[in-house]
Amino acid sequence: MKKNIFIYLLIILATSFVGGCIKDTGNYNYRDINDTWISGLDSTNGYVIYQFDTLKIDPNVKQRIPNKDSLDYTWSISNSGLGNSSVTKIISTQRSLVEPIAETPGNYTLVFKVTNRNTNISSFARASLTILSSSGTGWLVLNRTNSKSLLDIIRDDGRLVRDINAVNGTYSQPPKKLFCLTSGSTFSPESHIYLFSENDGMQLSGANLFKISDYPGMFIQAPSLLKPEYYVRRQSPGLEFLQNNGDIYIKSSNTVSAKLGQKALIQNSNYKSGRIIVAPNSLVIPLVIYDELNGRFLYMGSGFTPDLLPFMATPNAVFDMNNIGNKTLVHFDKGASSRIYSILKDRNNEKLFFYSFALSGFVPSSINAPVSVNEIPVSSNMTNASTFAMYEPSYAINNFSSFIYYAIDNNIWMYNTINFTSQIIYQFPSGSKISVMKMRTEGTSNNIYVGVNNTANEGSIYKFSFTPTGFFTGNTYTSVRSGFGAIVDIAYKDR
């Protein structure tokens, strides 16, 4: 019996062996894996680019069996850090990368992914990407070309960045005024940028020039008539003041998201501000305005209440700060220390007058004394001026002397507040027109920046420095930057 069982087992094993040797005639397809290799990305040093500049990379993609039509490409950036392939944004689906980079300045990971559609196998290449702020510090230039408004910047390092907020540069109305304020804490300052048109406006982030808010959104409750005019900031305490259609609105927070709230009022009276002047930080009062409605100067109290107040009368003063007469404001400016200067036009006879007064540290006080009032000669042609600026040399601090600069067509005039005379001190080529002038103290020197439009669509920015007597150093400009559209306004961004 055991012998038979053994024989049966041998027969089964032999049958299995023979069956295994029979040729397999099944229909099978075998393919080589088409590997893909990527090179040409600088994964060692990575890439550094300014925001809004175009990143260009032309990688090498090789396959074991060339078939480029089977490949899909994806470029993406991630802010998750190197070594993490999570995708935050796809920026291109082309093999060669040629894309403007608009992301917020910072450190990112750049990922290039190549996928074989036939095998669904992907290959990756990664590199670090550092995006620097294109704005930085420098002069913002609001200009216009062929009905398109542009915001450019002349950086302090000399680099010119055109159309810096291209991704957000759409305006319901062409902006006419540009303001840049520095706010935030001492350890974390930031810039707020404001563009105002006739009846609209917007707030931009100083970090990336992205739109933060439209004009109505800047208020807790927007006024019924939108007419933005001026925006200023008092650093200490942190207060911002917006003039809208002659009314003053106050923002008392350093944060970007804070909104304009209370409207400044005056007891038992009305007012219409012609222009806001922020008093020096050394003084208790934060704000001075000229009241167009009643022909007087007003100030704001401690800054923690929205009350506008009249100045205390000064005995035997050269003029009454509470009764200027039927005059409208032409120019309002402040000098070093505590001096305020204004040019007013008599509505009855078009005559111009120069007023100056000094503020004390505490108001009300008789120390807030009117200093001088003088009629400006007709020969000054100042009634035709389009823009103003003021320079006050250091030696002038104790005698309240300064120089007022104003533009008429292609000429820069200087009004000397010491001897009350005017003269042309610089002339641009015939046919050009000065659109804006702004002062800036840079180190120990004071400079004036002048926007000049050579044609309807082409302008330049000129820089002049001063001699102690108010004239331009060398009687000419020290530098010029061209290639802008027609210059509308300029403002310095220091953050």
Side-chain angles (χ1 to χ4, degrees):
M1 182 66 181
K2 291 182 177 180
K3 183 178 180 180
N4 292 334
I5 294 173
F6 180 73
I7 293 172
Y8 290 145
L9 290 174
L10 287 175
I11 293 172
I12 293 172
L13 289 173
T15 303
S16 299
F17 177 78
V18 172
C21 293
I22 296 174
K23 184 177 181 180
D24 186 354
T25 59
N27 184 19
Y28 299 99
N29 291 323
Y30 294 92
R31 292 179 298 177
D32 291 330
I33 295 176
N34 193 4
D35 294 329
T36 303
W37 296 275
I38 302 172
S39 62
L41 265 73
D42 191 347
S43 59
T44 302
N45 300 309
Y47 298 88
V48 179
I49 189 172
Y50 283 100
Q51 185 188 28
F52 305 122
D53 277 2
T54 298
L55 181 59
K56 299 179 180 180
I57 304 176
D58 188 18
N60 296 314
V61 179
K62 293 184 178 180
Q63 297 174 276
R64 185 186 300 274
I65 303 173
N67 183 12
K68 293 182 179 180
D69 292 337
S70 67
L71 300 180
D72 290 331
Y73 308 99
T74 302
W75 291 89
S76 60
I77 56 175
S78 166
N79 59 3
S80 304
L82 289 174
N84 189 327
S85 60
S86 62
V87 175
T88 57
K89 182 180 179 181
I90 295 175
I91 58 175
S92 177
T93 56
Q94 303 298 315
R95 185 186 68 80
S96 295
L97 179 64
V98 183
E99 288 294 328
I101 304 300
E103 273 55 48
T104 300
N107 297 316
Y108 295 82
T109 302
L110 178 67
V111 180
F112 180 45
K113 175 183 175 182
V114 181
T115 302
N116 189 320
R117 290 193 300 274
N118 295 330
T119 63
N120 203 32
I121 296 176
S122 298
S123 300
F124 296 86
R126 297 178 176 86
S128 64
L129 174 63
T130 300
I131 302 175
L132 303 176
S133 172
S134 282
S135 58
T137 60
W139 282 96
L140 293 169
V141 182
L142 176 62
N143 58 108
R144 193 164 176 79
T145 303
N146 296 324
S147 301
K148 180 183 179 182
S149 295
L150 306 174
L151 187 61
D152 305 337
I153 186 169
I154 307 171
R155 291 169 50 97
D156 286 340
D157 60 11
R159 186 169 181 265
L160 173 62
V161 184
R162 298 300 313 272
D163 204 6
I164 195 170
N165 71 325
V167 295
N168 294 280
T170 56
Y171 314 101
S172 59
Q173 297 177 354
K176 296 181 178 181
K177 294 181 180 180
L178 169 66
F179 298 90
C180 187
L181 312 179
T182 299
S183 61
S185 67
T186 303
F187 301 101
S188 172
E190 57 186 334
S191 293
H192 299 173
I193 300 168
Y194 302 90
L195 292 168
F196 293 156
S197 59
E198 187 69 27
N199 301 106
D200 200 3
M202 67 172 65
Q203 179 183 356
L204 305 177
S205 164
N208 54 29
L209 279 297
F210 284 9
K211 181 179 177 180
I212 295 175
S213 173
D214 58 15
Y215 187 60
M218 292 166 53
F219 298 83
I220 294 176
Q221 183 175 352
S224 57
L225 177 60
L226 300 179
K227 190 178 180 182
E229 293 167 329
Y230 298 99
Y231 206 132
V232 297
R233 176 175 172 81
R234 166 70 179 256
Q235 289 297 108
S236 178
L239 295 172
E240 296 182 7
F241 305 95
L242 168 72
Q243 180 175 307
N244 179 88
N245 193 37
D247 292 323
I248 307 300
Y249 293 83
I250 306 165
K251 185 169 80 172
S252 58
S253 173
N254 286 321
T255 62
V256 175
S257 59
K259 295 181 181 295
L260 294 153
Q262 290 178 301
K263 183 171 73 172
L265 302 173
I266 184 169
Q267 291 186 358
N268 304 318
S269 183
N270 295 320
Y271 74 93
K272 187 177 181 64
S273 177
R275 176 73 186 272
I276 316 170
I277 286 292
V278 175
N281 287 331
S282 59
L283 304 183
V284 173
I285 65 173
L287 183 73
V288 178
I289 73 166
Y290 177 72
D291 179 8
E292 293 275 356
L293 195 62
N294 300 286
R296 58 183 173 177
F297 294 101
L298 299 173
Y299 73 94
M300 185 170 286
S302 64
F304 298 100
T305 60
D307 296 329
L308 290 171
L309 303 168
F311 284 93
M312 181 177 287
T314 303
N316 304 315
V318 294
F319 65 89
D320 185 352
M321 295 177 65
N322 297 307
N323 186 16
I324 301 298
N326 188 23
K327 296 182 177 68
T328 185
L329 187 66
V330 175
H331 181 62
F332 210 16
D333 219 327
K334 66 178 179 180
S337 184
S338 60
R339 283 158 292 171
I340 304 294
Y341 301 97
S342 61
I343 296 172
L344 297 164
K345 181 171 68 173
D346 193 314
R347 291 188 177 95
N348 298 318
N349 53 28
E350 300 294 307
K351 290 183 178 180
L352 296 179
F353 295 85
F354 174 77
Y355 288 81
S356 66
F357 59 92
L359 301 175
S360 71
F362 296 92
V363 176
S365 169
S366 60
I367 304 177
N368 294 287
V371 174
S372 67
V373 56
N374 295 90
E375 183 177 344
I376 298 174
V378 175
S379 59
S380 70
N381 287 323
M382 197 179 291
T383 54
N384 298 316
S386 59
T387 184
F388 291 83
M390 192 198 72
Y391 168 55
E392 189 174 63
S394 58
Y395 74 83
I397 290 178
N398 294 323
N399 59 13
F400 300 98
S401 59
S402 62
F403 302 96
I404 305 292
Y405 300 88
Y406 55 102
I408 303 175
D409 296 327
N410 61 321
N411 297 315
I412 299 179
W413 291 66
M414 179 181 72
Y415 175 68
N416 189 326
T417 65
I418 301 174
N419 57 27
F420 311 109
T421 59
S422 293
Q423 65 182 107
I424 296 174
I425 62 169
Y426 193 81
Q427 187 174 56
F428 291 98
S430 177
S432 58
K433 189 175 180 62
I434 301 166
S435 61
V436 61
M437 299 192 298
K438 295 286 180 71
M439 291 290 305
R440 175 165 169 77
T441 300
E442 298 170 322
T444 59
S445 63
N446 290 281
N447 301 305
I448 186 170
Y449 289 79
V450 183
V452 181
N453 293 327
N454 306 311
T455 68
N457 290 300
E458 191 273 318
S460 303
I461 304 292
Y462 293 81
K463 174 184 175 181
F464 295 83
S465 59
F466 296 97
T467 67
T469 55
F471 292 91
F472 294 147
T473 303
N475 296 316
T476 189
Y477 55 88
T478 59
S479 65
V480 59
R481 295 299 296 264
S482 301
F484 304 97
I487 309 296
V488 179
D489 201 1
I490 61 175
Y492 187 78
K493 180 179 180 293
D494 62 0
R495 290 292 186 276

